Structures are given as structure tokens and as C-alpha cells.
Amino acid sequence: MDAGRIGAMGICAGGGYAANAAINDRRIKAVATVSAVNIGAMFRNGWDNSIKDADAIPALQGGSQARTAEAGGAATVQIPLAPLRREDAPNKELEEAWEYYHTPRCEYPTAPGWATARSLNQIITYDAFHKAEAFLTQPLLIVAGSVAGSKWMSDDLYARAASQDKQFHVVDGSNHMQLYDVPKYVDEAVSRLTPFFAAKL
């Protein structure tokens, strides 16, 4: 491995983790995200940023109660990471999340699509972009769909990143999940990612 040419690229929550890794690891020389999700912000503020931080306190309380209950022998309390059933989806975009994760489009037997409620205490207070204003100085490329409910998290990363070499490419007409596997949208993203890493690494 060429230690001087390490790049990081992440999709969805992986985009948040890639940014976080670049914030704290100077070996990463360039970073790119596609449909980036700051997983903590998503859990405390909602998919479309419609919940205030303080209004997430009941979820923290629920996580604490689950920890106490499980320590006492109760069954694990589960929370969905995406809608577990089509009818659970609050809108068409999140219905596509159900389709992506829970139909042959991309389902996988060891990925049940839920987390433990006790994890809420850690996840709600987590900020994948913590200290990006000071330490995310590497070249940065952000790709997001124009109609993605999650786009606000890419906007936030772009605004907060200290990098003087940052680009934001919006894929017109794409939502969040379509940048995972719909060829015309993925191809557009790749057409930006490939020259970015070629130039920066």
C-alpha cells in the first residue's frame, strides 16, 4: 500500500463514518461521500431534519429503560433501521428503503434491519462530523441526490468541513437510495468520484 495515497469513500452512514475517519486520521488524504448520513443526526433529528435535538429526549429515555430492562433479564428491544414493512414507511422515499433492504433488490439473510433500543443512548448523542470545522481539511467530494430526504446531512457536512478544496455534486432527480444501485444515477456519481480520487491521490 502507498501510505501517501490513501482515500476514503463511504455511502449512506458509511459516508458519515468516512468523514469521521478523515477528521481524526491524517493518513487519509482525500474523502468522498455519496448519500451521506450522519447517523446520530438522523436518529435525533429524523430523516428529513424535522425533529429538534431536545425533542429526542424521549428516545434517550427509551434507550435507558431498555438497558435497565435487559440487565434485569428482559428480551432485547428492537428498533428498525429502515421500515421493516412497506406499510410502515411514512413516505415514498422510505418505502424505497424498505424495498432496498427487505426484498430481493438487496436483502441479505444476516442483515435483519434492526438495532437494539439500548443503542439509542450512544447513537443519538453521536456526531459523525464532530470537529469537521477544525480537522476535516483534506480534499472533499460530496455527492447527493437532489430529492433525497437525507440531503440536509450532506449540506451540513459541506458547510462544516474546514477543507479549502471541497466540491458538492448534486445528482438531479435522484433520491437517497437510487444512488445505491440505479445505473444512471450511480454512473453520474462515479463520473465524479473517479477523476476526484485520480487527481487528489
Side-chain angles (χ1 to χ4, degrees), residues 35-101:
S35 293
V37 164
N38 179 343
I39 196 72
M42 186 191 79
F43 269 88
R44 65 180 168 265
N45 303 124
W47 180 251
D48 57 359
N49 197 24
S50 60
I51 301 169
K52 295 178 181 177
D53 284 358
D55 291 336
I57 289 175
L60 287 173
Q61 292 171 328
S64 297
Q65 290 164 357
R67 293 177 76 184
T68 299
E70 289 179 35
T76 299
V77 179
Q78 301 174 359
I79 56 171
L81 294 171
L84 295 175
R85 302 176 305 165
R86 182 194 295 269
E87 54 267 33
D88 295 334
N91 57 50
K92 290 296 290 183
E93 183 178 33
L94 292 179
E95 183 178 317
E96 188 166 353
W98 163 80
E99 179 199 354
Y100 184 83
Y101 291 108

Side-chain angles (χ1 to χ4, degrees), residues 15-200:
Y17 300 140
N20 189 264
I23 287 167
N24 65 58
D25 194 334
R26 306 311 299 175
R27 294 174 298 175
I28 296 174
K29 305 303 182 185
V31 63
T33 67
V34 176
S35 293
V37 164
N38 179 343
I39 196 72
M42 186 191 79
F43 269 88
R44 65 180 168 265
N45 303 124
W47 180 251
D48 57 359
N49 197 24
S50 60
I51 301 169
K52 295 178 181 177
D53 284 358
D55 291 336
I57 289 175
L60 287 173
Q61 292 171 328
S64 297
Q65 290 164 357
R67 293 177 76 184
T68 299
E70 289 179 35
T76 299
V77 179
Q78 301 174 359
I79 56 171
L81 294 171
L84 295 175
R85 302 176 305 165
R86 182 194 295 269
E87 54 267 33
D88 295 334
N91 57 50
K92 290 296 290 183
E93 183 178 33
L94 292 179
E95 183 178 317
E96 188 166 353
W98 163 80
E99 179 199 354
Y100 184 83
Y101 291 108
H102 299 293
T103 74
R105 178 174 171 184
C106 200
E107 68 184 342
Y108 197 76
T110 58
W114 54 266
T116 60
R118 67 176 179 271
S119 302
L120 287 169
N121 299 80
Q122 289 78 36
I123 205 165
I124 285 174
T125 56
Y126 172 70
D127 177 12
F129 307 155
H130 181 62
K131 292 297 180 181
E133 300 88 346
F135 302 128
L136 185 50
T137 60
Q138 299 94 322
L140 173 65
L141 171 63
I142 297 169
V143 178
S146 64
V147 295
S150 62
K151 183 177 174 291
W152 65 275
M153 289 177 272
S154 291
D155 294 333
D156 184 44
L157 176 60
Y158 185 80
R160 291 171 63 181
S163 176
Q164 296 301 301
D165 181 2
K166 56 185 177 180
Q167 308 168 41
F168 195 145
H169 180 73
V170 176
V171 180
D172 190 47
S174 178
N175 68 20
H176 181 95
M177 270 65 61
Q178 289 168 332
L179 275 166
Y180 293 174
D181 65 348
V182 176
K184 71 174 182 176
Y185 299 128
V186 173
D187 290 349
E188 183 173 337
V190 170
S191 76
R192 297 293 178 135
L193 293 162
T194 301
F196 170 77
F197 282 115
K200 305 306 176 184

